[in-house]
């Protein structure tokens, strides 16, 4: 199933039987409200749970955004009838110069399930002002408030926002499995890895008011799911004989989920490289999960900008120059930034293999040289660096030459493996390291490379599970091969036990890795990924090359004329700058909210 057609899948039942033991342990003790009624009174908003929960209602003052729990909904003493609407979650509260703004989930769409739990995409956010205090504010404050509130319109247009009421989307299957018993009983927001929580900053007010049932952790990324049901092939019967014997009438449930880090979140030209702490732009964790016959296999990769202090200043040229940030201490700082970044990866994932896909020459070559030089001081038994000039070796059409890269990294993948859980939810093997891939944007070349690695890893996992023979590959099974790239030829069988409400999506193009790359690219650059035709069809096409040209021009326009404002909005929503009318006010240095309690769980 594709996330784009997720409304055609009954989310409450798909995958429920795959990991019953693991999922029981993963469920939080305190449930979130899944449906609420928002009452708009003249002086306050009231959020009333309507999902059968017996919890209190939440009152939010329109004067200053103050929050209080109340019993029931107050009687309206005004002649005007209060407005009422259904909402599906409270994202948080954002404070500007004088007013505060309540952000809620106005519409949602079920896009499938993650390890047995329904996952929803935010179809629409709605922002409600709590700014009555502006009436008595100076004219300067009113003007500033209006300017900042315009940026909030961007929040209602944010794409790729996902959430779950039941499970922690910020953690991979392996990290979810490793959660301690005490942590599993905590509310979801306290289990969450704060760097992947998109509304981390906006939740602080709700956290301070101890409003756990209202706190919905939201991630930015995507989730793509497809189900394969293999029955009675009419062609190539002998070719599929072993394959059928192993999985005839079984379901292969493949999930691909992306988690975008918020530490250096932003748009393509306005967020490049790393900050002084080693957090990089466009850092995304991609996890591919296979579930079959009660077994679960998970494989995680990451992508992220070159971990140096560099930038591209937007200057209306098609490709602005790559510039290293000039600091007096740059000679000593650059290696430290890369070292901090790699150290953080080692702490979180184990061994690290950094795959650098940028060009050897030109501006990219200078960056690559600096990156390679910094890595020379870091490489060791558990850290490796591989440079692979994608454009020189593969050109624009020979992407099959990525097999040369795979030959260089195959030993790392075999040694560090993947997570495998048996039917009882017990860990058989674990992933001990991660491949970190980058190009310049960490979009097009990176996505083609990651899809190749994921494909090879899927083959390894299917061999381990006895589905494939020792030398079998996906390519010898056209049905699986085409579905891994494009599933318009897939034969689907509907059954009541799967609760498939509509099987027409079986004939639609559901290209998991290509769509995965498109969604990540849209969030960072504003357009779908380039080179997507190779991921979809296994080869470059004329139509794909023309589409790439169009998307490249669209990126130029967006980067130069739209993304600056969008970046300001992102920084505002993430709390990366604090709105203040005092020039002497400094951002708080002490960790608050989710980052503070995350120290207990060890996710900082």
């Amino acid at each position: 199933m594709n996330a784009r057609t997720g409304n055609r899948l009954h989310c409450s039942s798909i995958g429920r039987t795959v990991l019953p033991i693991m999922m029981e342990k993963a469920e939080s003790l305190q449930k979130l409200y899944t449906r609420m009624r928002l009452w708009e009174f003249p002086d306050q908003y009231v959020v009333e749970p309507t999902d059968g929960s017996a919890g209190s209602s939440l009152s939010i003052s329109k004067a200053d955004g103050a929050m209080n729990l109340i019993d029931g909904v107050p009687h309206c003493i005004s002649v005007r009838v209060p407005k009422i609407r259904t909402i599906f979650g409270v994202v948080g509260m954002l404070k500007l110069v004088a007013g505060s703004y309540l952000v809620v989930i106005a519409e949602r769409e079920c896009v499938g399930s993650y390890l047995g739990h329904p996952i929803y995409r935010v179809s629409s956010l709605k922002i409600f002002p709590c700014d009555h205090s502006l009436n008595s504010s100076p004219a300067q404050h009113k003007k500033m408030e209006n300017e900042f509130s315009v940026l909030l319109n961007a929040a209602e247009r944010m794409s790729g926002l996902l959430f779950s009421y039941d499970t922690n989307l910020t953690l991979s299957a392996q990290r979810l499995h490793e959660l301690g018993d005490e942590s599993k009983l905590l509310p979801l927001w306290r289990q969450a890895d704060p760097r992947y929580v998109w509304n981390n900053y906006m939740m602080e007010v709700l956290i301070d008011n101890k409003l756990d049932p209202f706190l919905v952790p939201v991630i930015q990324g995507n989730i793509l799911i497809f189900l394969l049901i293999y029955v009675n092939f009419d062609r190539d019967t002998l070719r599929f004989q072993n394959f059928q014997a192993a999985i005839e009438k079984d379901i292969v449930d493949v999930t691909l989920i992306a988690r975008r880090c918020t530490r250096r979140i932003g748009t393509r030209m306005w967020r490049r490289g790393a900050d002084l702490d080693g957090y990089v732009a466009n850092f995304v964790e991609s996890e591919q999960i296979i579930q079959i016959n009660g077994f679960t296999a998970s494989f995680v990769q990451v992508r992220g900008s070159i971990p140096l202090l560099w930038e591209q200043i937007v200057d209306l040229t098609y490709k602005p120059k790559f510039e290293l940030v000039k600091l007096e201490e740059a000679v000593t700082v650059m290696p430290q930034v890369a070292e901090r970044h790699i150290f953080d990866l080692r702490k979180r994932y184990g061994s690290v293999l950094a795959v650098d896909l940028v060009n050897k020459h030109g501006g990219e070559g200078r960056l690559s040289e600096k990156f390679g030089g910094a890595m020379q001081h870091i490489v060791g038994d558990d850290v490796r660096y591989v440079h692979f000039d994608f454009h020189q070796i593969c050109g624009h059409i020979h992407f099959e030459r990525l097999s040369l890269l795979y030959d260089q990294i195959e030993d790392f993948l075999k040694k560090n493996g993947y997570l495998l859980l048996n039917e009882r939810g017990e860990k058989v093997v674990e992933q001990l390291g991660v491949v970190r891939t980058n190009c310049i944007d960490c979009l097009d070349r990176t996505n083609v490379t990651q899809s190749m690695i994921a494909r090879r890893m899927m083959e390894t996992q299917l061999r381990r599970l006895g589905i494939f023979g020792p030398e079998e590959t996906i390519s010898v099974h056209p049905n699986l091969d085409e579905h891994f790239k494009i599933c318009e030829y897939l034969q689907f069988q509907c059954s009541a036990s799967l609760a498939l409400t509509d099987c027409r999506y079986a004939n639609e193009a559901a290209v998991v890795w290509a769509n995965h790359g498109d969604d990540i690219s849209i969030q960072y650059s504003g357009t779908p990924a380039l080179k997507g035709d190779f991921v979809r069809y296994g080869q470059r096409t004329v139509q794909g090359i023309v589409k790439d040209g169009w998307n490249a021009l669209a990126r130029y326009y967006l980067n130069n004329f739209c993304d600056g404002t969008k970046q300001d909005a992102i920084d505002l929503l993430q709390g990366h700058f604090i709105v203040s009318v005092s020039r002497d006010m400094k951002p708080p240095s002490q960790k608050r909210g989710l980052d503070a309690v995350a120290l207990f769980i060890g996710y900082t």
Side-chain angles (χ1 to χ4, degrees):
M1 188 201 76
N2 186 335
R4 302 177 196 279
T5 57
N7 57 329
R8 296 176 180 171
L9 192 61
H10 193 284
C11 293
S12 62
S13 46
I14 292 296
R16 282 286 184 185
T17 60
V18 177
L19 271 178
I21 297 176
M22 179 181 173
M23 288 306 98
E24 286 178 9
K25 293 181 179 179
E27 290 183 1
S28 173
L29 184 65
Q30 187 167 25
K31 297 296 182 181
L32 300 179
Y33 298 139
T34 60
R35 183 183 293 266
M36 289 151 279
R37 188 178 291 126
L38 179 68
W39 299 73
E40 184 174 354
F41 293 98
D43 61 339
Q44 65 178 326
Y45 302 104
V46 174
V47 180
E48 175 195 15
T50 57
D51 58 358
S53 304
S56 301
S57 297
L58 174 62
S59 170
I60 304 158
S61 169
K62 283 190 173 183
D64 56 7
M67 297 182 174
N68 294 287
L69 291 176
I70 59 176
D71 294 327
V73 178
H75 295 289
C76 183
I77 58 177
S78 171
V79 177
R80 191 175 66 181
V81 177
K83 295 180 180 178
I84 306 172
R85 70 182 71 216
T86 298
I87 63 172
F88 301 96
V90 178
V91 172
M93 182 76 76
L94 192 66
K95 184 170 179 58
L96 298 185
V97 179
S100 295
Y101 294 80
L102 175 67
V103 185
V104 303
I105 300 171
E107 296 179 26
R108 68 184 183 189
E109 176 190 7
C110 185
V111 293
S113 64
Y114 175 65
L115 297 175
H117 292 290
I119 305 302
Y120 298 90
R121 177 169 52 223
V122 176
S123 301
S124 172
L125 289 176
K126 187 70 176 175
I127 297 176
F128 294 92
C130 304
D131 57 356
H132 285 188
S133 59
L134 271 178
N135 296 332
S136 57
S137 298
Q140 179 189 7
H141 292 188
K142 292 180 180 179
K143 180 181 178 182
M144 292 177 63
E145 185 83 6
N146 182 63
E147 291 173 351
F148 280 115
S149 62
V150 170
L151 296 178
L152 294 181
N153 295 330
E156 297 183 342
R157 299 191 299 270
M158 286 293 172
S159 63
L161 302 182
L162 303 168
F163 67 97
S164 172
Y165 301 110
D166 305 305
T167 193
N168 188 346
L169 293 182
T170 67
L171 301 185
S172 66
Q174 181 161 310
R175 295 181 69 191
L176 198 60
H177 187 269
E178 293 170 349
L179 273 182
D181 292 338
E182 291 185 4
S183 297
K184 292 171 184 174
L185 299 178
L186 294 173
L188 284 181
W189 70 268
R190 293 199 65 183
Q191 297 180 27
D193 184 339
R195 69 184 69 200
Y196 294 121
V197 180
W198 180 80
N199 57 330
N200 184 7
Y201 173 68
M202 289 182 279
M203 286 198 302
E204 285 186 357
V205 175
L206 282 78
I207 291 173
D208 292 342
N209 284 275
K210 298 179 171 58
L211 300 173
D212 290 352
F214 294 93
L215 284 161
V216 181
V218 177
I219 71 168
Q220 186 176 41
N222 74 351
I223 184 166
L224 299 164
I225 304 167
F226 66 80
L227 304 176
L228 298 174
I229 305 175
Y230 297 89
V231 292
N232 301 325
F233 293 105
D234 294 327
R235 54 181 179 172
D236 295 333
T237 303
L238 294 177
R239 195 175 185 181
F240 288 100
Q241 186 172 358
N242 294 334
F243 194 61
Q244 281 183 269
I247 63 172
E248 182 176 352
K249 295 184 180 179
D250 284 329
I251 303 169
V252 182
D253 186 340
V254 182
T255 301
L256 182 58
I257 184 169
R259 305 175 180 94
R260 178 176 295 280
C261 179
T262 62
R263 292 295 196 249
R264 191 164 169 76
I265 192 171
T267 57
R268 179 172 173 251
M269 289 293 183
W270 297 82
R271 279 295 179 271
R272 292 296 209 186
D275 61 18
L276 290 172
D277 294 321
Y279 295 119
V280 297
N282 200 23
F283 186 87
V284 179
E285 179 183 275
S286 297
E287 180 182 17
Q288 179 176 277
I289 301 171
I290 301 173
Q291 295 171 307
I292 182 171
N293 297 333
F295 285 83
T296 295
S298 162
F299 177 63
V300 171
Q301 304 180 69
V302 297
R303 69 178 75 192
S305 191
I306 294 176
L308 301 174
L309 304 178
W310 65 279
E311 60 188 359
Q312 276 183 287
I313 305 298
V314 176
D315 59 3
L316 295 183
T317 62
Y318 179 72
K319 192 173 184 179
K321 292 181 180 180
F322 304 109
E323 300 284 352
L324 292 172
V325 176
K326 296 179 180 179
L327 297 173
E328 293 181 2
E329 65 275 21
V331 176
T332 57
V333 167
M334 284 294 184
Q336 290 176 2
V337 169
E339 186 175 0
R340 287 168 188 155
H341 176 71
I342 298 299
F343 176 78
D344 180 63
L345 294 181
R346 288 174 57 198
K347 183 172 64 173
R348 297 167 62 79
Y349 299 104
S351 299
V352 178
L353 171 59
V355 177
D356 184 9
L357 302 174
V358 303
N359 300 343
K360 279 185 178 179
H361 306 291
E364 289 192 14
R366 288 189 290 274
L367 276 180
S368 180
E369 183 181 356
K370 291 288 186 181
F371 184 26
M375 290 298 296
Q376 286 183 0
H377 305 286
I378 305 171
V379 294
D381 294 338
D382 57 352
V383 177
R384 284 178 55 188
Y385 170 79
V386 174
H387 180 263
F388 184 84
D389 190 330
F390 187 102
H391 284 153
Q392 183 181 48
I393 298 172
C394 299
H396 295 289
I397 57 175
H398 295 293
F399 296 168
E400 72 280 356
R401 294 176 183 169
L402 280 171
S403 60
L404 300 174
L405 171 62
Y406 185 78
D407 291 341
Q408 297 182 57
I409 66 176
E410 183 178 13
D411 59 332
F412 180 91
L413 293 171
K414 287 182 176 179
K415 179 180 178 180
N416 293 283
Y418 53 88
L419 172 73
L420 179 62
L421 304 176
N422 64 20
E423 309 98 313
R424 296 180 296 278
E426 299 166 340
K427 183 165 59 179
V428 180
V429 294
E430 63 180 331
Q431 185 171 342
L432 302 174
V434 70
V435 178
R436 180 209 188 275
T437 306
N438 73 266
C439 47
I440 288 296
D441 296 328
C442 302
L443 297 177
D444 314 317
R445 288 171 279 183
T446 295
N447 201 62
V448 172
T449 303
Q450 285 196 337
S451 67
M452 178 273 293
I453 296 173
R455 179 189 179 101
R456 297 295 187 101
M457 187 55 67
M458 179 185 288
E459 292 171 342
T460 299
Q461 293 164 340
L462 291 175
R463 292 186 194 111
R464 175 66 181 265
L465 294 171
I467 307 304
F468 280 3
E471 302 300 326
E472 275 187 283
T473 63
I474 289 174
S475 60
V476 303
H477 298 289
N479 62 309
L480 182 57
D481 182 41
E482 289 169 2
H483 196 96
F484 198 84
K485 293 181 292 189
I486 185 168
C487 69
E488 62 184 357
Y489 305 111
L490 181 64
Q491 299 275 329
F492 234 97
Q493 174 177 308
C494 302
S495 65
S497 62
L498 290 177
L500 297 176
T501 58
D502 188 341
C503 290
R504 286 174 297 171
Y505 71 94
N507 294 319
E508 297 179 5
V511 192
V512 287
W513 269 98
N515 287 344
H516 181 78
D518 283 347
D519 288 344
I520 292 173
S521 179
I522 289 169
Q523 293 162 20
Y524 186 54
S525 72
T527 75
L530 310 185
K531 305 176 177 68
D533 52 340
F534 179 80
V535 182
R536 283 180 166 85
Y537 308 113
Q539 61 184 5
R540 295 246 60 184
T541 65
V542 173
Q543 182 181 5
I545 294 172
V546 172
K547 184 178 179 182
D548 283 357
W550 174 257
N551 284 332
L553 290 175
R555 285 183 183 181
Y556 169 81
Y557 174 80
L558 293 171
N559 297 161
N560 281 278
F561 302 108
C562 301
D563 285 352
T565 301
K566 184 178 178 181
Q567 185 65 56
D568 289 341
I570 291 172
D571 288 338
L572 183 65
L573 295 170
Q574 296 297 321
H576 291 168
F577 62 75
I578 307 299
V579 176
S580 171
V581 295
S582 171
R583 296 186 180 184
D584 298 327
M585 181 177 177
K586 297 180 180 179
S589 58
Q590 183 179 0
K591 291 185 178 181
R592 300 183 59 206
L594 193 54
D595 279 300
V597 300
L599 293 172
F600 167 73
I601 305 177
Y603 293 154
T604 58

